[in-house]
Amino acid sequence: MTQRPFQTIDEMMAAGPNAAIEDPYSLYARARRETPVLEVAGFGSPARFLMRFEDVQSALRDWETFSSVSNGERGIAIVIGRTIIGMDGREHLRNRALVTPAVAPRALRGDFPAMVRRIADELIDRFAGKGSAELVRNFTYLFPIRVFVEPLGLPAADIERFHNWAIDLTQVANDPPRGLAASAAIREYLKPIIAAKRSEPADDIISTLVTSEVEGERLGDEHIANFLCLLIMAGAETTYHLIGSTLYALLTHGAALEEVRAHRDRIPLAVAETLRWESPVQVVTREAQADVEMSGVLIKKGTDVVIGIGSANRDESQFEDPDRFDLHREGAEHIAFGFGRHYCAGSRLALLEAEIGLGALFERLPNLRMDEGAEPGNMSGFAFRSPTSLPVVFD
Ligand code: HEM
């Protein structure tokens, strides 16, 4: 993918959520100084873009003023329908309580880590003997979706079919017809599975959803299918970006790479710093429900608000020398999993997957390093970011 130099944030946004954007951060740094509540053309209607950490955090905390309602109507709601990311208040809390147990730390103990490691090993087995590989295509893209199939309770024989749909679903921003076709196919595919789990529930996420009640009522098939599509997108797409970006960060920072190779127990430090340095989810959106002031700028009721998580995580008021990738950074906590009521429900799962997946790669591929002879990949993307490719060699 060729890199395009962007002069303004508007230009970058217009290029689309997955455009080849190598460095949005210099534009964000200038905006934090000069226009912290930047007016942008938005995704269809004029919007305000929050750049500073403090404004980002306050907006995410104040869910009454900064409502999530638009996330239930536009963007990915087109393929996944209305889900908790588009709900507010009590309705959100009641529905969120249904999904959190399935991805909570309790559910991730027992056999779960061993299953995640087995899936990582199966993927690595395919290229470990070759001495070189392209890790986006052969590992980071495949691993998180595969990890999701078993806990959902889908038949193992359907992995390939389901995997293809899940990938198509995550492509909705680039290719809406492909995303919509996948959404329809997943829903058709799930119908008999949901019916079977209703008559004979097992110990899996779909069974939990079919037996759950909100306000005394069982969830309908469509509601369950929406939830599952959300989990597939939220769970697979984001973690894929995180693992790719952590590899990119390490492979392009020699001292950090050597340290992690020699001390694999420091992989969690690399994952945490990557969440800040190259936040996989760069922006989330809200709609102002009242006139509100941020950094001295009035945001009018009804305005779409773009919340700059990626910019906040590079804010020099919180992070010293914020553009530096630093395994041993101290001080403020990143805000990559969001904040407040919509804080990422799957953060523990994402960390566990990333740490086990990267641990397996560094253990199984000695002296893992960038393939200097191959065309290098670049960091890319506006809404979600990760490297386009990761050509590596190993001993
Ligand atoms: C690197 C990985 C991940 C990142 C960076 C990430 C980031 C985020 C962010 C920023 C939000 C807040 C959205 C908002 O405020 O509008 C969110 C919400 C959410 N995430 Fe994640 N996520 C990750 C992985 C996962 C995984 C593995 C799951 C698995 C199930 C998951 C499930 C969810 C769900 C269900 C929500 C909605 C929570 C709500 O609206 O109450 N995420 N995530």
Side-chain angles (χ1 to χ4, degrees), residues 302-316:
T303 306
D304 283 332
V305 181
V306 182
I307 308 216
I309 287 179
S311 170
N313 278 333
R314 297 273 188 128
D315 189 329
E316 36 294 285

Side-chain angles (χ1 to χ4, degrees), residues 138-296:
N138 293 294
F139 190 81
T140 64
Y141 200 44
L142 306 175
F143 175 58
I145 293 180
R146 301 228 151 193
V147 167
F148 236 64
V149 167
E150 284 184 36
L152 282 175
L154 300 178
D158 293 344
I159 282 193
E160 297 292 339
R161 201 150 55 118
F162 182 76
H163 193 169
N164 290 335
W165 287 327
I167 286 173
D168 285 357
L169 198 62
T170 63
Q171 291 304 307
V172 61
N174 296 334
D175 187 348
R178 188 172 156 198
L180 283 169
S183 168
I186 289 181
R187 282 160 204 276
E188 261 323 291
Y189 166 78
L190 286 173
K191 263 188 204 159
I193 294 176
I194 292 173
K197 304 276 181 194
R198 278 197 202 285
S199 51
E200 215 173 311
D203 181 18
D204 54 53
I205 294 178
I206 298 180
S207 300
T208 308
L209 290 173
V210 299
T211 50
S212 300
E213 293 181 356
V214 177
E215 309 254 281
E217 278 190 34
R218 286 275 164 99
L219 303 181
D221 284 10
E222 190 183 333
H223 199 147
I224 292 173
N226 289 354
F227 254 130
L228 294 173
C229 287
L230 170 67
L231 288 178
I232 294 162
M233 288 196 69
E237 167 110 8
T238 50
T239 314
Y240 140 63
H241 291 296
L242 173 61
I243 298 174
S245 297
T246 308
L247 282 166
Y248 178 87
L250 289 171
L251 293 166
T252 55
H253 290 80
L257 177 63
E258 264 177 44
E259 187 175 335
V260 165
R261 273 204 217 115
H263 305 277
R264 285 203 296 278
D265 58 338
R266 297 190 193 161
I267 287 174
L269 299 180
V271 173
E273 175 64 345
T274 303
L275 280 159
R276 183 198 71 80
W277 186 69
E278 272 297 2
S279 306
V281 177
Q282 289 269 307
V283 291
V284 296
T285 49
R286 295 290 190 268
E287 187 183 296
Q289 300 299 295
D291 287 359
V292 57
E293 205 179 289
M294 291 250 140
S295 286

